[in-house]
Short mmCIF file of all heavy atoms in Angstrom, two decimals:
data_model
loop_
_atom_site.label_atom_id
_atom_site.label_comp_id
_atom_site.label_asym_id
_atom_site.label_seq_id
_atom_site.Cartn_x
_atom_site.Cartn_y
_atom_site.Cartn_z
N MET A 208 39.67 37.64 81.18
CA MET A 208 40.07 37.35 82.56
C MET A 208 41.47 37.95 82.86
O MET A 208 41.66 38.45 83.95
CB MET A 208 40.13 35.88 82.73
CG MET A 208 40.41 35.44 84.21
SD MET A 208 39.03 35.84 85.26
CE MET A 208 39.50 35.07 86.72
N LYS A 209 42.34 37.89 81.89
CA LYS A 209 43.70 38.41 82.12
C LYS A 209 43.70 39.93 82.30
O LYS A 209 44.41 40.50 83.12
CB LYS A 209 44.62 38.02 80.94
CG LYS A 209 46.03 38.47 81.14
CD LYS A 209 46.91 38.00 79.97
CE LYS A 209 48.31 38.48 80.16
NZ LYS A 209 49.20 38.11 79.05
N ILE A 210 42.84 40.56 81.52
CA ILE A 210 42.72 42.06 81.61
C ILE A 210 42.14 42.44 82.99
O ILE A 210 42.60 43.40 83.61
CB ILE A 210 41.85 42.62 80.49
CG1 ILE A 210 42.53 42.38 79.15
CG2 ILE A 210 41.52 44.04 80.74
CD1 ILE A 210 41.70 42.79 77.96
N LEU A 211 41.16 41.69 83.45
CA LEU A 211 40.55 41.94 84.79
C LEU A 211 41.56 41.80 85.91
O LEU A 211 41.68 42.62 86.81
CB LEU A 211 39.40 41.05 85.01
CG LEU A 211 38.62 41.21 86.32
CD1 LEU A 211 37.99 42.62 86.41
CD2 LEU A 211 37.48 40.20 86.42
N THR A 212 42.41 40.72 85.81
CA THR A 212 43.45 40.50 86.83
C THR A 212 44.50 41.61 86.79
O THR A 212 44.90 42.11 87.88
CB THR A 212 44.16 39.15 86.55
OG1 THR A 212 43.15 38.17 86.52
CG2 THR A 212 45.22 38.85 87.64
N THR A 213 44.87 42.04 85.61
CA THR A 213 45.84 43.11 85.49
C THR A 213 45.23 44.43 86.07
O THR A 213 45.92 45.16 86.83
CB THR A 213 46.23 43.36 84.02
OG1 THR A 213 46.73 42.16 83.51
CG2 THR A 213 47.25 44.48 83.86
N PHE A 214 44.02 44.72 85.79
CA PHE A 214 43.35 45.92 86.30
C PHE A 214 43.26 45.87 87.81
O PHE A 214 43.55 46.88 88.52
CB PHE A 214 41.96 46.08 85.69
CG PHE A 214 41.27 47.32 86.15
CD1 PHE A 214 41.65 48.58 85.74
CD2 PHE A 214 40.20 47.22 87.01
CE1 PHE A 214 41.01 49.70 86.16
CE2 PHE A 214 39.55 48.37 87.47
CZ PHE A 214 39.96 49.57 87.05
N ALA A 215 42.87 44.70 88.36
CA ALA A 215 42.78 44.55 89.81
C ALA A 215 44.13 44.76 90.49
O ALA A 215 44.22 45.40 91.53
CB ALA A 215 42.17 43.18 90.13
N ALA A 216 45.19 44.21 89.88
CA ALA A 216 46.52 44.38 90.45
C ALA A 216 46.96 45.87 90.40
O ALA A 216 47.54 46.38 91.35
CB ALA A 216 47.51 43.53 89.68
N MET A 217 46.60 46.57 89.38
CA MET A 217 46.87 47.98 89.31
C MET A 217 46.15 48.78 90.38
O MET A 217 46.72 49.67 90.96
CB MET A 217 46.55 48.55 87.91
CG MET A 217 47.49 48.02 86.83
SD MET A 217 47.00 48.51 85.16
CE MET A 217 46.88 50.27 85.27
N VAL A 218 44.89 48.45 90.56
CA VAL A 218 44.11 49.13 91.59
C VAL A 218 44.67 48.88 93.00
O VAL A 218 44.87 49.83 93.79
CB VAL A 218 42.61 48.70 91.48
CG1 VAL A 218 41.83 49.24 92.69
CG2 VAL A 218 41.98 49.18 90.21
N VAL A 219 45.00 47.64 93.32
CA VAL A 219 45.54 47.30 94.63
C VAL A 219 46.91 47.98 94.81
O VAL A 219 47.23 48.55 95.82
CB VAL A 219 45.65 45.76 94.77
CG1 VAL A 219 46.42 45.42 96.03
CG2 VAL A 219 44.27 45.12 94.82
N GLY A 220 47.76 47.93 93.79
CA GLY A 220 49.07 48.57 93.89
C GLY A 220 48.93 50.04 94.03
O GLY A 220 49.71 50.69 94.79
N GLY A 221 48.02 50.67 93.32
CA GLY A 221 47.82 52.12 93.43
C GLY A 221 47.30 52.48 94.83
O GLY A 221 47.71 53.49 95.39
N ALA A 222 46.45 51.65 95.43
CA ALA A 222 45.94 51.92 96.77
C ALA A 222 47.06 51.79 97.77
O ALA A 222 47.12 52.62 98.74
CB ALA A 222 44.82 50.94 97.08
N ILE A 223 47.91 50.81 97.66
CA ILE A 223 49.05 50.68 98.55
C ILE A 223 49.97 51.85 98.42
O ILE A 223 50.44 52.38 99.41
CB ILE A 223 49.77 49.36 98.32
CG1 ILE A 223 48.87 48.16 98.70
CG2 ILE A 223 51.08 49.29 99.05
CD1 ILE A 223 49.40 46.80 98.31
N ALA A 224 50.28 52.28 97.16
CA ALA A 224 51.19 53.40 96.97
C ALA A 224 50.53 54.69 97.53
O ALA A 224 51.23 55.50 98.17
CB ALA A 224 51.43 53.59 95.47
N ALA A 225 49.23 54.91 97.34
CA ALA A 225 48.59 56.07 97.86
C ALA A 225 48.60 56.11 99.37
O ALA A 225 48.81 57.14 100.04
CB ALA A 225 47.15 56.17 97.31
N GLY A 226 48.33 54.96 99.98
CA GLY A 226 48.35 54.86 101.45
C GLY A 226 49.76 55.11 102.04
O GLY A 226 49.90 55.82 103.00
N SER A 227 50.75 54.60 101.35
CA SER A 227 52.16 54.83 101.79
C SER A 227 52.50 56.32 101.66
O SER A 227 53.12 56.90 102.57
CB SER A 227 53.12 54.01 100.98
OG SER A 227 52.85 52.64 101.14
N LEU A 228 52.16 56.92 100.59
CA LEU A 228 52.46 58.35 100.37
C LEU A 228 51.73 59.21 101.35
O LEU A 228 52.27 60.13 101.93
CB LEU A 228 52.09 58.73 98.95
CG LEU A 228 52.52 60.13 98.47
CD1 LEU A 228 54.05 60.25 98.54
CD2 LEU A 228 52.05 60.38 97.06
N TYR A 229 50.45 58.85 101.58
CA TYR A 229 49.68 59.65 102.59
C TYR A 229 50.30 59.51 104.00
O TYR A 229 50.47 60.49 104.72
CB TYR A 229 48.24 59.13 102.65
CG TYR A 229 47.43 59.82 103.75
CD1 TYR A 229 46.97 61.09 103.54
CD2 TYR A 229 47.14 59.16 104.92
CE1 TYR A 229 46.17 61.68 104.56
CE2 TYR A 229 46.44 59.77 105.91
CZ TYR A 229 45.97 61.04 105.73
OH TYR A 229 45.21 61.66 106.72
N GLY A 230 50.71 58.32 104.34
CA GLY A 230 51.32 58.12 105.63
C GLY A 230 52.66 58.90 105.77
O GLY A 230 52.98 59.49 106.80
N LEU A 231 53.42 58.89 104.72
CA LEU A 231 54.69 59.61 104.73
C LEU A 231 54.45 61.12 104.87
O LEU A 231 55.09 61.76 105.71
CB LEU A 231 55.48 59.34 103.40
CG LEU A 231 56.80 60.10 103.29
CD1 LEU A 231 57.80 59.69 104.33
CD2 LEU A 231 57.32 59.92 101.85
N ILE A 232 53.59 61.64 104.09
CA ILE A 232 53.33 63.11 104.14
C ILE A 232 52.69 63.49 105.49
O ILE A 232 53.13 64.49 106.04
CB ILE A 232 52.40 63.49 102.98
CG1 ILE A 232 53.14 63.36 101.64
CG2 ILE A 232 51.89 64.94 103.12
CD1 ILE A 232 52.32 63.54 100.41
N SER A 233 51.77 62.73 105.97
CA SER A 233 51.11 63.07 107.24
C SER A 233 52.10 62.98 108.40
O SER A 233 52.00 63.79 109.31
CB SER A 233 49.87 62.27 107.47
OG SER A 233 50.24 60.86 107.69
N SER A 234 53.06 62.04 108.36
CA SER A 234 53.97 61.93 109.44
C SER A 234 55.01 63.06 109.39
O SER A 234 55.53 63.45 110.44
CB SER A 234 54.69 60.57 109.38
OG SER A 234 55.53 60.47 108.31
N GLN A 235 55.33 63.56 108.21
CA GLN A 235 56.31 64.58 108.06
C GLN A 235 55.71 65.96 108.35
O GLN A 235 56.44 66.93 108.69
CB GLN A 235 56.90 64.59 106.69
CG GLN A 235 57.66 63.38 106.39
CD GLN A 235 58.87 63.18 107.34
OE1 GLN A 235 59.60 64.07 107.58
NE2 GLN A 235 59.01 61.93 107.79
N THR A 236 54.38 66.14 108.19
CA THR A 236 53.76 67.44 108.36
C THR A 236 52.87 67.46 109.61
O THR A 236 52.07 68.41 109.77
CB THR A 236 52.97 67.81 107.14
OG1 THR A 236 51.98 66.80 106.91
CG2 THR A 236 53.84 67.91 105.92
N ALA A 237 52.94 66.49 110.48
CA ALA A 237 52.09 66.43 111.64
C ALA A 237 52.48 67.56 112.67
O ALA A 237 53.55 68.11 112.62
CB ALA A 237 52.16 65.04 112.29
N ALA A 238 51.63 67.82 113.59
CA ALA A 238 51.89 68.74 114.67
C ALA A 238 53.08 68.20 115.49
O ALA A 238 53.32 67.02 115.55
CB ALA A 238 50.61 68.87 115.48
N PRO A 239 53.77 69.14 116.11
CA PRO A 239 54.96 68.73 116.84
C PRO A 239 54.69 67.66 117.90
O PRO A 239 55.55 66.80 118.16
CB PRO A 239 55.47 70.00 117.50
CG PRO A 239 54.95 71.08 116.59
CD PRO A 239 53.62 70.58 116.07
N ASP A 240 53.55 67.73 118.54
CA ASP A 240 53.30 66.68 119.59
C ASP A 240 53.01 65.32 118.96
O ASP A 240 53.11 64.35 119.66
CB ASP A 240 52.12 67.11 120.47
CG ASP A 240 50.81 67.31 119.72
OD1 ASP A 240 50.89 67.57 118.45
OD2 ASP A 240 49.74 67.23 120.26
N LYS A 241 52.69 65.25 117.72
CA LYS A 241 52.44 63.95 117.07
C LYS A 241 53.62 63.51 116.21
O LYS A 241 53.60 62.43 115.61
CB LYS A 241 51.17 64.03 116.20
CG LYS A 241 49.96 64.25 117.04
CD LYS A 241 48.69 64.24 116.14
CE LYS A 241 47.47 64.43 117.03
NZ LYS A 241 46.25 64.44 116.24
N SER A 242 54.65 64.37 116.09
CA SER A 242 55.77 64.02 115.20
C SER A 242 56.82 63.27 116.04
O SER A 242 57.13 63.68 117.17
CB SER A 242 56.37 65.33 114.71
OG SER A 242 57.50 65.04 113.88
N PRO A 243 57.37 62.20 115.54
CA PRO A 243 58.34 61.47 116.27
C PRO A 243 59.74 62.08 116.33
O PRO A 243 60.62 61.60 117.03
CB PRO A 243 58.39 60.12 115.54
CG PRO A 243 58.05 60.44 114.17
CD PRO A 243 57.04 61.58 114.30
N VAL A 244 59.95 63.16 115.56
CA VAL A 244 61.25 63.72 115.46
C VAL A 244 61.34 65.06 116.20
O VAL A 244 60.43 65.86 116.10
CB VAL A 244 61.64 63.90 113.98
CG1 VAL A 244 62.97 64.60 113.88
CG2 VAL A 244 61.60 62.62 113.27
N ASN A 245 62.40 65.29 116.94
CA ASN A 245 62.62 66.56 117.59
C ASN A 245 63.99 67.08 117.02
O ASN A 245 65.03 66.52 117.26
CB ASN A 245 62.73 66.39 119.08
CG ASN A 245 62.94 67.70 119.79
OD1 ASN A 245 63.09 68.72 119.18
ND2 ASN A 245 62.82 67.68 121.13
N VAL A 246 63.92 68.19 116.28
CA VAL A 246 65.09 68.72 115.63
C VAL A 246 66.11 69.20 116.63
O VAL A 246 67.31 69.14 116.43
CB VAL A 246 64.67 69.88 114.63
CG1 VAL A 246 65.93 70.55 114.05
CG2 VAL A 246 63.76 69.35 113.58
N ASN A 247 65.62 69.75 117.72
CA ASN A 247 66.53 70.27 118.75
C ASN A 247 67.20 69.21 119.57
O ASN A 247 68.31 69.49 120.14
CB ASN A 247 65.75 71.20 119.70
CG ASN A 247 65.23 72.44 118.93
OD1 ASN A 247 65.85 72.93 118.02
ND2 ASN A 247 63.99 72.84 119.31
N ALA A 248 66.65 68.05 119.66
CA ALA A 248 67.25 66.97 120.44
C ALA A 248 67.14 65.64 119.72
O ALA A 248 66.32 64.82 120.04
CB ALA A 248 66.57 66.87 121.79
N PRO A 249 67.91 65.47 118.65
CA PRO A 249 67.78 64.21 117.88
C PRO A 249 68.26 63.01 118.72
O PRO A 249 69.19 63.13 119.53
CB PRO A 249 68.68 64.41 116.65
CG PRO A 249 69.66 65.46 117.11
CD PRO A 249 68.95 66.34 118.10
N GLN A 250 67.55 61.90 118.55
CA GLN A 250 67.96 60.69 119.24
C GLN A 250 68.15 59.57 118.23
O GLN A 250 67.37 59.34 117.36
CB GLN A 250 66.84 60.30 120.20
CG GLN A 250 66.56 61.30 121.31
CD GLN A 250 65.45 60.82 122.16
OE1 GLN A 250 64.74 59.84 121.90
NE2 GLN A 250 65.22 61.51 123.25
N PHE A 251 69.29 58.90 118.38
CA PHE A 251 69.63 57.80 117.55
C PHE A 251 69.63 56.50 118.44
O PHE A 251 70.59 56.34 119.20
CB PHE A 251 70.97 57.98 116.85
CG PHE A 251 71.02 59.19 115.95
CD1 PHE A 251 71.63 60.34 116.36
CD2 PHE A 251 70.46 59.13 114.69
CE1 PHE A 251 71.63 61.47 115.56
CE2 PHE A 251 70.44 60.28 113.90
CZ PHE A 251 71.05 61.39 114.31
N ASP A 252 68.61 55.76 118.34
CA ASP A 252 68.51 54.58 119.13
C ASP A 252 68.76 53.35 118.27
O ASP A 252 67.91 52.92 117.49
CB ASP A 252 67.13 54.44 119.77
CG ASP A 252 66.98 53.29 120.70
OD1 ASP A 252 68.03 52.73 121.03
OD2 ASP A 252 65.86 52.99 121.13
N TYR A 253 70.00 52.82 118.35
CA TYR A 253 70.36 51.63 117.55
C TYR A 253 70.23 50.35 118.34
O TYR A 253 70.75 49.34 117.90
CB TYR A 253 71.82 51.83 117.05
CG TYR A 253 71.94 52.96 116.03
CD1 TYR A 253 72.58 54.11 116.39
CD2 TYR A 253 71.40 52.84 114.79
CE1 TYR A 253 72.69 55.15 115.50
CE2 TYR A 253 71.49 53.90 113.88
CZ TYR A 253 72.15 55.03 114.23
OH TYR A 253 72.26 56.06 113.37
N GLY A 254 69.65 50.42 119.53
CA GLY A 254 69.52 49.22 120.31
C GLY A 254 70.58 49.20 121.41
O GLY A 254 71.27 50.20 121.68
N SER A 255 70.63 48.17 122.14
CA SER A 255 71.57 48.07 123.27
C SER A 255 72.40 46.79 123.20
O SER A 255 72.05 45.86 122.53
CB SER A 255 70.79 48.16 124.63
OG SER A 255 69.98 47.01 124.72
N ASN A 256 73.46 46.79 123.94
CA ASN A 256 74.36 45.62 123.95
C ASN A 256 74.31 44.89 125.28
O ASN A 256 75.25 44.31 125.74
CB ASN A 256 75.77 46.10 123.74
CG ASN A 256 76.01 46.59 122.30
OD1 ASN A 256 75.31 46.19 121.35
ND2 ASN A 256 76.91 47.53 122.16
N ASN A 257 73.17 44.94 125.90
CA ASN A 257 72.98 44.30 127.23
C ASN A 257 73.02 42.79 127.09
O ASN A 257 72.34 42.14 126.45
CB ASN A 257 71.71 44.75 127.94
CG ASN A 257 71.81 46.24 128.27
OD1 ASN A 257 72.88 46.81 128.26
ND2 ASN A 257 70.69 46.81 128.55
#
């Protein structure tokens, strides 16, 4: 039972890591219209003091 739990935790952790890595890579290599960053006009939005 302990081996099965360890294996299941490894599978779940690996899936989370793979999903995170895929999201990071796809967001960095997306087309310009889907990318949240504009190199020519960077925006730093730290909130407002209203």
Side-chain angles (χ1 to χ4, degrees):
M208 184 70 172
K209 184 177 179 181
I210 294 174
L211 182 61
T212 304
T213 302
F214 181 73
M217 289 173 58
V218 170
V219 171
I223 292 171
S227 298
L228 189 61
Y229 175 78
L231 175 66
I232 292 172
S233 65
S234 69
Q235 296 299 315
T236 59
D240 60 335
K241 294 183 179 179
S242 180
V244 178
N245 183 353
V246 175
N247 297 323
Q250 296 179 352
F251 299 102
D252 185 12
Y253 294 109
S255 63
N256 294 329
N257 293 344

